[in-house]
Structures are given as C-alpha cells and as structure tokens.
Amino acid sequence: MFPAYERVVLREAGFKRPVVIFGPLADISRERLAADYATAYEVARNEGTVSGQKSNRKGVIRLNTIKDIIEKDKHAVLDITPTAVQKLNYAQLYPIVVFLDPQSKAVVKDLRMRLACTEPEKKKKPGKLYDRAVKMQRGYSHVFNRYNSFKFW
C-alpha cells in the first residue's frame, strides 16, 4: 500500500533508464538507435517462445532482460504497449517515453520509404500507422508529455 499523499522529490535515477518510442516510425527508430549508438543502446528482444511454442503476445519483455541490459551500462530500447509503460513505472524503472508525432500520412509514407532498410519495413501501410499513432496520442497522452513528443515533417 502507498500513502495517500507523498512529497515529490526530484532524484537522479542512478542507472540507465529504458527507452520506449511510440509513433509510426518507432520500429525504424529503435533499430537505428541501437545500430548507430550500440555503445549506449541495446534493443531488448521480445519473448519469442512460451513453453516451446510461439508466443502470440506482442511486447512481452521480461524485467530480467531489461535489468541485464542496464547492468551492461546501456539503455534498453523497448517495443512495448503504453500499459506496459505504466507497469515499468510501478516496477521503479521509470522509462524515457518518446512519441514521434506524425504530421500527415504522406509524411509518414515518405519518411518510411527513405529511412527503412528492409522491404518489410517499407511495406507497412503508412495510413494505418498514422491512424494508430493518432489514436495512441488521444488515449495515452498521459504516458508521454509535450516535452518528449517530437513533430517530424
């Protein structure tokens, strides 16, 4: 149980905090961040199997995986849902949450064509990614704030 009121004190984390990126270019951004700055960032891979079978739950990453990356003195770059961000806050890992705010479907399409390295990344439907990002911004804006939301064009 937590007390009803608690004094808020600004403190340093003392460890490399996990990084979560949302938006239509999040998949590309995660991979590029880990590839271009491998000494500081590492992608925490999703749990691929459960009891020898394929996992159909997207975004399942064990806390031990994140903590192992933190012990390497790196930021864990995560592909998780907004509700999982709230669970990380509860676990006192306090992720850095970045939202890449899309300007339009055309901009998303153009940037994905220029930045994507592989064909499957290029073929993702920009309109669907844009709509999903707009919905996420409406429903989960409390997870990220205006200071860590970036507009791109």
Side-chain angles (χ1 to χ4, degrees):
M1 296 294 292
F2 293 106
Y5 297 96
E6 187 176 337
R7 185 179 191 103
V8 177
V9 179
L10 180 63
R11 287 191 244 164
E12 291 291 322
F15 59 90
K16 300 283 186 170
R17 293 168 46 199
V19 176
V20 181
I21 303 172
F22 292 121
L25 296 176
D27 55 339
I28 296 170
S29 301
R30 281 189 295 272
E31 295 301 325
R32 296 276 305 260
L33 188 64
D36 295 349
Y37 302 98
T39 58
Y41 299 93
E42 183 177 328
V43 175
R45 299 294 171 197
N46 292 346
E47 184 179 285
T49 59
V50 177
S51 312
Q53 297 176 347
K54 276 268 197 192
S55 171
N56 36 349
R57 296 187 302 169
K58 184 180 185 243
V60 177
I61 299 172
R62 297 195 181 276
L63 286 178
N64 288 340
T65 305
I66 297 169
K67 289 178 181 178
D68 289 344
I69 295 171
I70 291 171
E71 286 176 5
K72 295 178 190 175
D73 200 32
K74 292 182 177 185
H75 293 278
V77 182
L78 309 175
D79 179 13
I80 58 174
T81 63
T83 53
V85 169
Q86 295 168 334
K87 291 176 184 177
L88 285 177
N89 283 328
Y90 184 74
Q92 297 181 345
L93 288 175
Y94 310 113
I96 300 166
V97 182
V98 178
F99 181 71
L100 302 174
D101 191 7
Q103 187 177 18
S104 69
K105 293 177 186 180
V107 171
V108 172
K109 182 179 181 179
D110 181 49
L111 287 172
R112 287 195 71 81
M113 290 303 290
R114 283 193 288 145
L115 298 174
C117 298
T118 63
E119 280 303 312
E121 288 177 345
K122 287 181 183 179
K123 290 188 179 197
K124 288 186 179 179
K125 298 190 185 306
K128 191 173 185 178
L129 292 170
Y130 174 81
D131 293 339
R132 190 178 304 152
V134 169
K135 267 187 196 176
M136 182 180 291
Q137 190 173 21
R138 270 190 248 133
Y140 293 98
S141 61
H142 63 280
V143 174
F144 41 87
N145 60 33
R146 63 188 171 107
Y147 298 109
N148 56 5
S149 177
F150 300 97
K151 288 197 177 286
F152 55 88
W153 55 92

